[in-house]
Amino acid sequence: MRNKPLIVAVALVALLSVLAFAAGWMFGGLKRPAPVQASAATSTPVDARAIFIPGGSEIDALRRGVPVNQEGHPPPMARVQNTDIRRVRNYPMQPPTIPHTIDGYQVDKNSNRCMLCHARANAATFQAPPVSVTHYMDRDDQFLATVSPRRYFCSQCHVVQTDAPTLVANGFKDIDTVLAAEPPPGGQ
Ligand code: HEC
Ligand code: HEC
């Protein structure tokens, strides 16, 4: 029995750990702080949906008026609109939003479901608008035969249209609105 001291040491360590565990089990619970329960009682969730005011003058609109020391109900998940109705682009180079659902459309190294319909060659079959020529250009403005790697992952730029309310007030005016506005007095 060359390993006798080793076996004795292992047995001792095991015994000690069992003892330490039992001690923790018995005495650890005693010092549990009571305030945990008290704070749970005070933080009843506030319904963030009820007090959301679009364009309101809240300091932090993303919290939708819920005080910082309270927890708000999460707003309901937005529904994707599958209406085929295209939204106007706010400026010419905005990636258009997607007017259809894209659930389950796989885009990975091996296949790109979007290009099944949006490639130039397939566009007529599916009556989809083909991706514009910019999607075939590399960063040196050279035209490639297939979609450029930097335009391959479509949802990097294009998002589906949802019925989500505006999160924060936004004063953006597009160029047509700016041009149509009256010139300021003073002839500037
Ligand atoms: C089954 C065919 C099909 C697939 C797959 C498909 N689309 Fe479409 N897409 C269409 C059609 C058709 C339209 C034209 C509007 C409509 O009828 O919904 C369209 C419209 C669009 C538009 C609006 C273009 C514009 O000028 O406003 C975008 C952006 C778009 N799709 C992106 C995508 C992306 C990104 C994917 C992949 C996640 C995808 N599509 C997958 C058929 C498809
Ligand atoms: C790096 C951002 C980016 C990526 C990635 C991207 N797009 Fe676009 N896409 C745009 C922009 C910006 C426009 C509008 C200006 C233009 O045509 O280049 C656009 C326009 C479009 C249009 C409208 C074309 C037209 O002539 O009206 C379609 C359809 C479209 N993209 C589909 C796709 C599909 C499908 C993919 C994936 C294969 C994709 N896009 C990837 C930025 C992107």
Side-chain angles (χ1 to χ4, degrees), residues 134-155:
T134 53
H135 294 57
Y136 292 89
M137 287 157 71
D138 68 10
R139 63 181 177 184
D140 300 319
D141 285 358
Q142 298 294 310
F143 294 101
L144 308 174
T146 54
V147 66
S148 168
R150 62 185 189 150
R151 291 283 170 115
Y152 187 84
F153 293 103
C154 319
S155 54

Side-chain angles (χ1 to χ4, degrees), residues 89 93-94 96 115 129 131-132 134-135 151 153-154 157-158:
R89 299 184 204 180
M93 282 304 282
Q94 179 197 320
M115 291 304 275
V131 293
S132 60
T134 53
H135 294 57
R151 291 283 170 115
F153 293 103
C154 319
C157 304
H158 297 280

Side-chain angles (χ1 to χ4, degrees), residues 79-84 98-105 160-161:
R79 270 186 299 272
V80 175
Q81 293 176 331
N82 195 23
T83 51
D84 293 345
I98 308 172
H100 55 73
T101 54
I102 57 167
D103 295 343
Y105 286 177
V160 287
Q161 303 175 352

